[in-house]
């Protein structure tokens, strides 16, 4: 993916060219964003047909899968197989394994727990962290890797990822075909699916291992982490597979903003210095409905002065295409009086991805003990006043009843 910095685009014609070529056909993101991720999660859960995730819209194959979907629905009705038969705890664990391997969007850490809740059980976010410690990250797909998502389908798609990681998966789970995952993979192998799609990849002069790395050659494990500390007692998330290793540990001064718009304006107007730790708060589920902070993350990513030195922390969420040290879903969120509400400019913040920690470690630029920091935060909490909630109608219904992002941000 090329890097475009401020001032690099010089004409309206150039802007038009990017608009026309940036997304040349219908379909989902050409990177492992949330739309692409959730296609993969639907298939990994067993709720979408084998091989259907990431299928390019321009291929005739999509018509075949559409017909197969119709037949599959009738088969499920005949066999009385319902989503509850498919969406089991084992299926969710399988999905998290695949999520770790493909470098999926952090938004799956909202969607999967919310789906599980609808089925009557809680999906512990710590399970994501546990599995991401040991699942090989094998897919070379942007923003964590080099290639666009359609090449993952040409390389064999989610079924090929499942085959590579079969030792980590429960192959006996039921799927929408009315067959188990093991039976589905065997059927795809027997009917020549993997040999057929690789022909598309050959057109690019690439090999399967360029896109899906052999497990034994993989050095990176997982793609997302759950961070905890005095900023996020319930947790926060980061997609570390899209973070340069030099920013896996960082200590810097806080600069706090109470909306994304404020932070964005500061970034584009040159008011942010390298090394800063930016906070965007009151953007969580109850604060503003938890929008993506994409406008600000992209402004940072294309600024060569900031893109390899600035951390962004928020109780909001991110686009699946976000890259860099961006920490989201901070819980409890600011609007309910979570610790992120009491951060002040100049506080020293430590991000430690390796050890899964996110903490205030100093006040006014000076290191302090944990006891000193706790005392100061208790004093700040006494002075804090909850901002007025201005949302109305359906939006107010959601923000008044949304649960923590770490639980799935659903309406309780």
């Amino acid at each position: 993916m090329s890097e475009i910095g401020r001032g690099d685009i010089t004409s309206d014609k150039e802007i038009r060219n990017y608009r026309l070529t940036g997304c040349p056909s219908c379909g989902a993101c050409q990177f492992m964003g949330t739309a692409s991720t959730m296609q993969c999660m639907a298939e990994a859960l067993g709720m979408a047909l084998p091989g259907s995730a990431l299928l390019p819209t321009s291929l005739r194959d999509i018509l075949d899968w559409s017909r197969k979907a119709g037949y599959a629905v009738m088969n499920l009705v005949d066999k009385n197989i319902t989503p509850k038969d498919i969406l089991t705890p084992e299926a969710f664990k399988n999905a998290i394994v695949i999520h770790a391997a493909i470098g999926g969007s952090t938004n799956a850490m909202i969607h999967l727990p919310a789906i599980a809740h609808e089925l009557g059980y809680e999906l512990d976010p710590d399970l994501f962290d546990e599995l991401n410690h040991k699942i090989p990250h094998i897919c070379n797909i942007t923003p964590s890797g080099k290639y666009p998502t359609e090449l993952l389908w040409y390389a064999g798609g989610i079924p090929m990822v499942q085959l590579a990681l079969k030792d980590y998966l429960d192959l006996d789970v039921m799927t929408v075909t009315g067959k188990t995952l093991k039976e589905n993979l065997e059927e795809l192998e027997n009917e020549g699916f993997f040999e057929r799609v690789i022909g598309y990849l050959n057109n690019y002069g690439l090999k399967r291992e360029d896109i899906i790395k052999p497990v034994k050659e993989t050095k990176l494990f997982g793609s997302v982490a759950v961070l905890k500390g005095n900023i996020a007692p319930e947790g926060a998330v980061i997609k570390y597979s899209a973070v340069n290793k030099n920013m896996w540990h960082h200590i810097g001064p806080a600069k706090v903003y109470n909306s994304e718009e404020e932070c964005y304006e500061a970034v584009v107007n040159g008011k942010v210095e390298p090394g800063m730790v930016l906070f965007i708060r009151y953007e969580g589920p109850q604060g503003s409905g938890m929008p993506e902070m994409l406008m600000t993350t992209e402004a940072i990513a294309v600024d060569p002065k900031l893109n390899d030195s600035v951390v962004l922390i928020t109780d909001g969420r991110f686009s699946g295409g976000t890259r860099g040290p961006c920490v989201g879903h901070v819980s409890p969120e600011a609007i309910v009086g979570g610790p992120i509400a009491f951060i002040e400019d100049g506080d020293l913040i430590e991000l430690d991805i390796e050890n899964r920690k996110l903490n205030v470690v100093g006040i006014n630029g000076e290191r302090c003990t944990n006891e000193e920091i706790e005392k100061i935060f208790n004093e700040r909490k006494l002075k804090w006043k909850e901002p007025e909630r201005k949302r109305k109608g359906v939006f107010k219904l959601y923000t008044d009843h949304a649960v923590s992002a770490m639980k799935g941000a659903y309406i309780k």
Side-chain angles (χ1 to χ4, degrees):
M1 182 179 292
S2 62
E3 296 290 345
I4 301 172
R6 191 175 295 115
D8 288 346
I9 296 177
T10 58
S11 68
D12 290 342
K13 183 178 180 181
E14 191 172 359
I15 292 173
R16 181 174 180 272
N17 286 340
Y18 278 115
R19 285 176 174 169
L20 293 176
T21 60
C23 190
S25 71
C26 55
C29 317
Q30 284 299 293
F31 50 86
M32 193 53 72
T34 304
S36 297
T37 297
M38 294 315 295
Q39 286 185 52
C40 297
M41 292 299 93
E43 185 174 332
L45 284 166
M47 288 293 290
L49 291 177
S52 62
L54 307 181
L55 206 169
T57 58
S58 57
L59 299 184
R60 65 165 300 281
D61 301 73
I62 203 161
L63 181 59
D64 292 340
W65 259 266
S66 299
R67 287 176 173 147
K68 289 177 185 177
Y71 287 120
V73 169
M74 299 308 297
N75 182 51
L76 291 169
V77 172
D78 288 342
K79 293 184 176 180
N80 196 28
I81 297 173
T82 70
K84 285 188 176 182
D85 299 314
I86 299 170
L87 294 172
T88 61
E90 293 77 18
F92 279 98
K93 186 175 179 180
N94 280 355
I96 296 172
V97 168
I98 299 304
H99 183 270
I102 65 177
S105 166
T106 52
N107 285 318
M109 299 179 72
I110 300 173
H111 298 319
L112 292 181
I115 296 168
H117 172 76
E118 290 299 312
L119 291 155
Y121 49 88
E122 300 300 314
L123 190 60
D124 190 340
D126 287 340
L127 181 58
F128 281 89
D129 203 64
E130 175 190 334
L131 292 173
N132 274 266
H133 270 96
K134 59 187 179 184
I135 301 303
H137 177 75
I138 60 175
C139 292
N140 190 13
I141 301 297
T142 59
S144 301
K146 181 178 180 181
Y147 296 107
T149 49
E150 66 185 77
L151 298 190
L152 178 54
W153 190 81
Y154 298 150
I158 294 304
M160 181 55 69
V161 177
Q162 290 169 324
L163 277 177
L165 297 175
K166 61 183 179 180
D167 291 342
Y168 299 92
L169 298 171
D170 186 331
L171 300 178
D172 294 323
V173 293
M174 178 56 61
T175 72
V176 288
T177 63
K179 301 175 183 178
T180 66
L181 174 56
K182 181 181 179 180
E183 290 172 322
N184 289 342
L185 294 176
E186 289 174 348
E187 192 169 291
L188 288 175
E189 285 189 287
N190 292 335
E191 65 105 9
F193 169 75
F194 298 110
E195 289 75 18
R196 186 168 68 254
V197 295
I198 201 69
Y200 293 113
L201 193 60
N202 292 338
N203 293 331
Y204 292 82
L206 296 170
K207 299 177 180 178
R208 179 170 283 139
E209 53 266 32
D210 293 324
I211 312 300
I212 303 175
K213 300 175 184 177
V215 170
K216 292 182 179 179
E217 296 179 13
T218 305
K219 296 180 181 179
L220 179 64
F221 288 83
S223 58
V224 297
V226 175
L227 310 177
K228 292 186 178 180
N230 58 21
I231 295 174
E234 292 180 8
V237 303
I238 187 169
K239 187 174 181 175
Y240 60 80
S241 60
V243 180
N244 285 338
K245 207 63 171 192
N246 68 304
M247 287 299 289
W248 278 37
H249 183 263
H250 179 78
I251 297 176
K255 185 65 177 176
V256 182
Y257 302 93
N258 290 333
S259 71
E260 185 192 12
E261 289 78 8
E262 290 178 21
C263 187
Y264 172 77
E265 290 297 326
V267 171
V268 298
N269 290 321
K271 296 179 181 179
V272 173
E273 297 296 328
M276 283 184 170
V277 179
L278 308 182
F279 280 84
I280 302 177
R281 61 191 180 193
Y282 300 109
E283 298 282 21
Q286 290 193 39
S288 67
M290 207 179 183
E292 292 183 349
M293 304 291 107
L294 180 60
M295 181 168 65
T296 303
T297 57
E298 281 303 296
I300 293 170
V302 300
D303 189 328
K305 185 179 72 172
L306 305 179
N307 64 10
D308 205 24
S309 69
V310 168
V311 176
L312 177 62
I313 300 173
T314 181
D315 51 9
R317 63 188 179 92
F318 297 116
S319 161
T322 295
R323 57 202 188 278
C326 300
V327 181
H329 308 194
V330 170
S331 301
E333 61 180 291
I335 197 73
V336 300
I340 190 175
F342 315 130
I343 305 289
E344 294 184 0
D345 290 351
D347 289 349
L348 280 181
I349 310 300
E350 181 177 27
L351 167 67
D352 185 351
I353 295 175
E354 191 72 43
N355 294 302
R356 305 303 201 249
K357 293 181 179 180
L358 184 66
N359 286 296
V360 177
V361 295
I363 306 294
N364 293 324
E366 299 292 332
R367 293 293 294 249
C368 298
T369 65
N370 292 335
E371 291 75 18
E372 290 171 328
I373 292 169
E374 184 178 0
K375 179 182 178 183
I376 290 170
F377 267 58
N378 285 334
E379 292 170 354
R380 291 177 182 178
K381 186 174 184 178
L382 292 174
K383 299 176 183 177
W384 177 77
K385 292 183 179 179
E386 179 184 327
E388 180 185 356
R389 302 194 183 201
K390 299 179 180 180
R391 294 169 75 83
K392 298 179 180 179
V394 174
F395 294 120
K396 187 175 188 301
L397 179 67
Y398 174 75
T399 53
D400 282 355
H401 298 282
V403 303
S404 161
M406 295 305 293
K407 290 180 178 289
Y410 53 79
I411 296 180
K412 59 187 174 183

